Amino acid sequence: MKRRLIAPSILSADFANMGRAVDDIAASGADWVHIDVMDGNFVPPITFGTKMVEDLRGRTALPFDVHLMTRAPENLVPVFAAAGADYITFHLEAAVHAHRVTQSIRGFGKKAGVSIVPSTPGGALVSLLPFVDLVLVMTVNPGYGGQTCITECFSKIEELARLRQREKLDFLVSVDGGINEETGRKAAAAGADVLVTGAAFFGADDKAAFVERLRG
Ligand code: DX5
Ligand code: ZN
C-alpha cells in the first residue's frame, strides 16, 4: 500500500516568519510543502511570488507543491519552475488550453497537477488525466485557509481513484481545504493519496504527532 503523503500549507503560517514555518514542516516529518500562489484575480487575495519560493528553496529538500490559484497559469509555469517548484498545479477553471499547460510543466521537468474547485465536476478532468501526475480536489472554495471542508466533494476523490484504476493511470489524488484529523480520515478512505493541511497543521501544538495521526 502506498504511503499517504502530508502536505502542510504555508498559507496558514506567519508570513513574517516563513523560513521558520518551513523548518517546522520539515521537523514535523511531513512530506511536502504546499505553497498557495494567489493572484488577486482568480481568487481575491494575493500571496506569494517566485522570490518567496526561491528563498525558501534553500531551507529544505522536501518537495515544493506549488498550487497556482491564478488566471493565465501558462504565464507562470516557467518562472515557478525556475524558482524551485517540484509539482506545479493549476486550475482547470483558469486554463483555456489545459493540456498545453500540462505539457509545458512537464517540459520543464516538473510534475504536472490540475485542480478543480468544488463546483466543477470530476468528469471535467477525464480527457486530461493521462497527462497529469496529480489531481488536486478542492474541498473549499479557494482563496482562504481555515474554512470548513465541503465533504460532498469526497465523492470526486472516489470517482478519480476509480477512473485511475480503470484506465490504468498513475496520478496522485490530493485533497485541499478544511482537512483535519476527522476530514482527513474520510478523504483517505475515499482514496486520497495526499492530504493538504493548513490551519489544522499550524494550529497543532505538537506538529509531529499531528502529522502521524493524519497519516493514519
Ligand atoms: C485554499 C488553499 C489551501 C489552504 C488550506 O485556497 O488552496 O491550500 O491553505 O488550508 P486549510 O487546511 O486551513 O483549509
Ligand atoms: Zn492549496
Side-chain angles (χ1 to χ4, degrees):
M1 195 181 131
K2 258 188 304 189
R3 183 173 187 252
R4 189 154 302 120
L5 302 172
I6 308 299
S9 162
I10 58 170
L11 183 63
S12 289
D14 174 4
F15 278 33
N17 283 299
M18 224 26 124
R20 201 164 72 205
V22 170
D23 294 347
D24 286 349
I25 292 172
S28 74
D31 304 281
W32 292 358
V33 179
H34 184 84
I35 301 177
D36 288 304
V37 175
M38 304 188 187
D39 66 351
N41 188 345
F42 182 69
V43 290
I46 297 175
T47 54
F48 327 112
T50 51
K51 178 77 161 61
M52 177 70 84
V53 175
E54 259 169 50
D55 289 357
L56 293 176
R57 190 60 287 183
R59 302 289 282 221
T60 178
L62 290 182
F64 278 3
D65 179 30
V66 172
H67 177 190
L68 298 177
M69 281 158 279
T70 68
R71 294 210 186 275
E74 61 276 10
N75 296 339
L76 294 176
V77 168
V79 288
F80 278 97
D86 295 283
Y87 281 79
I88 300 179
T89 296
F90 66 96
H91 270 268
L92 185 68
E93 302 85 4
V96 178
H97 304 291
H99 174 263
R100 185 181 290 156
V101 182
T102 65
Q103 298 308 96
S104 168
I105 296 169
R106 285 181 163 181
F108 285 99
K110 308 298 178 180
K111 302 281 192 192
V114 64
S115 183
I116 50 173
V117 302
S119 59
T120 299
L125 289 169
V126 166
S127 56
L128 208 57
L129 294 178
F131 308 103
V132 296
D133 302 292
L134 177 142
V135 174
L136 179 62
V137 175
M138 294 282 327
T139 45
V140 297
N141 289 293
Y144 307 94
Q147 302 183 76
T148 302
C149 184
I150 304 168
T151 51
E152 285 79 0
C153 296
F154 288 166
S155 59
K156 289 193 261 183
I157 298 175
E158 288 170 7
E159 182 185 355
L160 288 160
R162 255 197 324 270
L163 276 168
R164 175 175 59 189
Q165 196 176 17
R166 197 185 74 195
E167 304 298 326
K168 299 190 171 44
L169 297 169
D170 64 359
F171 55 84
L172 295 170
V173 179
S174 181
V175 60
D176 185 6
I179 295 299
N180 52 35
E181 279 177 55
E182 188 197 338
T183 53
R185 206 174 309 118
K186 291 179 182 158
D193 307 291
V194 184
L195 304 178
V196 176
T197 171
F201 176 86
F202 281 100
D205 291 330
D206 185 341
K207 293 180 170 40
F210 173 75
V211 166
E212 253 333 283
R213 287 196 302 271
L214 192 58
R215 209 192 298 281

